[in-house]
Amino acid sequence: MKKILVTGGSGFIGSNYIRYALNRYPALKVVNLDKLTYAGNPENLRDVEADSRYRFVKGDICDEALVESLMPGIEAVVHFAAESHVDRSIGKPDDFIRTDVFGTFVLLEASRRHGVQRFVQISTDEVYGSTDDSKFRETDPLMPSSPYSASKAAADRLAYSYWVTYKLPVVIPRSSNNYGPFQYPEKLIPLFVTNAIDDKPLPVYGDGLNVRDWIYVADNCEAVDLVLQKGGDGEVYNVGGGNERTNLEITKTILRELGKPESLITHVKDREGHDRRYALDTAKIRGLGWQPRHSFEAAMRDTVSWYRDNRAWWDKLKSGEYLEFYKRHYQREP
Ligand code: NAD
Ligand code: TYD
């Protein structure tokens, strides 16, 4: 690929992906279309801003004329842009439906018109819903349970329909929970690391025994690149780190790493409709030659150190709109 359009490239995974792709492919040109919502942050890509192969466009994926104007010469679209936080979707689903569903439609339509060679629809393991005892396979039914995961499931299947109906070469990675640098501090790991650094309480929902399968963001970026290059048309690929942990285990790992006391753990009211466990069977993408290269222990240590060393990055994010959201939604401080 010579030129790709990345949407949502100023967010957590998108910024890690753009950095990875520019490093890996010296001749690649990247256009980053990002609305810069509360979750989008130009600082995430400060180090690549001056690279002549990189172009940033501030704008909305729902803006049909803008998307249309960016398409000439684009060979592949890697579509990360989304409203991505389950708790916000519970409080106010509107933007999730607009961006995650309608925005995906706008991109698919433009891609179809321009004969894009590859459309990577970034999906999520949350589209399967919760499982107590098995691991999800790509052929399992989708049972999303939050407005966030339902909007992602809609986009996931809409993208698939563009392969079946129009032969737009779509590929759909469904990854598990990512962690690593530049993750907005509303998600479990960066919220708890930054709270613990400041000796603030860590608000564990319910009994803290919900399970997520954690993947280091760099491993996910490699998986996205692999399915972009080698994934089958219309195919779905589960991308999981193979690190199932309860939220309490994650919390204790963070506290141990920072040398902070477990007395910071505070059990708070559970999330509405809180999925108990996500777990993925990753045999299919392993068959393409991918496997995670980072151990959970080492990558968590690096991640905690990154937040410890980059206070200037997250400190200003934990103010203003962020505080208002917490007070409104949880009736408490984050
Ligand atoms: P994020 O919230 O950190 O970033 C989202 C980015 O999209 C932001 O830069 C934001 O400004 C941009 N954006 C939002 N609405 C937009 C719009 N209408 N037009 C243009 N840009 C817009 O999200 P993330 O954690 O980096 O997740 C990226 C993608 O990966 C999402 O599609 C998400 O569903 C998916 N995903 C995330 C995880 C995870 O653990 N974070 C796991 C599986 C899948
Ligand atoms: P989150 O990072 O929001 O990701 P997702 O809900 O998409 O998996 O949450 C991860 C887990 O951590 C989830 O089970 C909810 C829980 N959680 C807490 O216990 N407290 C918190 O403050 C947050 C943000 C999440």
Side-chain angles (χ1 to χ4, degrees):
M1 299 286 166
K2 291 196 208 65
K3 189 175 176 192
I4 64 174
L5 173 66
V6 175
T7 69
S10 304
F12 164 46
I13 307 177
S15 61
N16 277 281
Y17 176 76
I18 288 177
R19 183 174 297 104
Y20 163 83
L22 286 172
N23 279 334
R24 171 137 194 214
Y25 300 106
L28 183 72
K29 289 191 171 142
V30 175
V31 178
N32 170 20
L33 172 60
D34 197 296
K35 188 178 174 182
L36 297 183
T37 67
Y38 79 92
N41 185 348
E43 288 188 26
N44 296 359
L45 283 173
R46 229 16 125 213
D47 53 330
V48 309
E49 250 172 14
D51 191 323
S52 59
R53 297 172 301 148
Y54 172 73
R55 177 181 166 210
F56 173 66
V57 178
K58 183 174 184 314
D60 192 331
I61 58 166
C62 299
D63 181 340
E64 291 164 85
L66 175 62
V67 169
E68 176 66 28
S69 74
L70 298 176
M71 294 311 293
I74 295 293
E75 291 173 345
V77 174
V78 187
H79 173 34
F80 291 98
E83 288 293 333
S84 68
H85 190 39
V86 173
D87 291 329
R88 285 181 189 253
S89 85
I90 294 168
K92 194 170 179 295
D94 316 36
D95 287 345
F96 290 75
I97 309 307
R98 200 176 151 278
T99 288
D100 301 10
V101 185
F102 183 72
T104 301
F105 161 72
V106 170
L107 291 165
L108 286 166
E109 270 297 300
S111 300
R112 165 165 94 90
R113 272 197 303 276
H114 286 267
V116 161
Q117 293 165 31
R118 188 50 118 189
F119 188 103
V120 184
Q121 171 59 28
I122 302 295
S123 192
T124 163
D125 63 354
E126 302 194 25
V127 297
Y128 295 113
S130 190
T131 179
D132 285 337
D133 45 18
S134 59
K135 290 181 188 238
F136 289 117
R137 300 188 57 202
E138 288 83 352
T139 45
D140 283 339
L142 306 189
M143 294 288 281
S145 39
S146 71
Y148 162 65
S149 52
S151 72
K152 292 296 292 183
D156 175 314
R157 292 298 81 194
L158 187 65
Y160 175 70
S161 80
Y162 270 64
W163 160 243
V164 176
T165 308
Y166 306 113
K167 296 293 172 272
L168 177 68
V170 163
V171 65
I172 306 164
R174 292 183 184 148
S175 104
S176 61
N177 286 60
N178 286 227
Y179 65 98
F182 300 107
Q183 186 169 29
Y184 193 81
E186 65 185 350
K187 305 280 168 57
L188 178 74
I189 289 177
L191 175 68
F192 281 19
V193 172
T194 55
N195 274 15
I197 288 170
D198 283 348
D199 299 304
K200 288 187 179 158
L202 310 189
V204 172
Y205 298 162
D207 61 10
L209 299 180
N210 303 64
V211 171
R212 299 291 184 262
D213 171 10
W214 294 93
I215 183 170
Y216 189 54
V217 64
D219 287 326
N220 187 27
C221 291
E222 289 190 5
V224 170
D225 183 48
L226 182 67
V227 301
L228 168 65
Q229 312 286 346
K230 298 208 177 122
D233 293 336
E235 295 291 328
V236 170
Y237 294 90
N238 287 343
V239 183
N243 302 300
E244 284 188 48
R245 299 285 189 282
T246 65
N247 293 338
L248 270 179
E249 284 171 329
I250 295 289
T251 307
K252 287 178 185 171
T253 301
I254 291 169
L255 290 171
R256 219 174 20 250
E257 210 48 62
L258 287 168
K260 300 286 181 171
E262 291 193 4
S263 56
L264 289 177
I265 297 175
T266 316
H267 287 269
V268 299
K269 184 172 154 299
D270 208 353
R271 172 187 282 174
E272 295 90 339
H274 195 174
D275 284 335
R276 195 64 172 167
R277 172 171 172 260
Y278 300 138
L280 291 176
D281 178 330
T282 55
K284 188 170 171 185
I285 192 164
R286 284 173 189 263
L288 276 188
W290 176 88
Q291 58 176 21
R293 291 200 288 125
H294 295 84
S295 82
F296 177 77
E297 288 68 28
M300 266 300 279
R301 220 174 296 129
D302 287 352
T303 299
V304 171
S305 301
W306 189 86
Y307 288 95
R308 199 173 25 209
D309 296 345
N310 287 278
R311 187 185 186 100
W313 179 85
W314 55 263
D315 212 17
K316 54 181 166 289
L317 299 178
K318 294 182 88 169
S319 63
E321 189 272 351
Y322 177 89
L323 290 179
E324 280 160 32
F325 165 74
Y326 266 88
K327 283 188 194 132
R328 200 169 57 243
H329 185 74
Y330 306 100
Q331 289 85 47
R332 61 172 167 78
E333 298 282 326

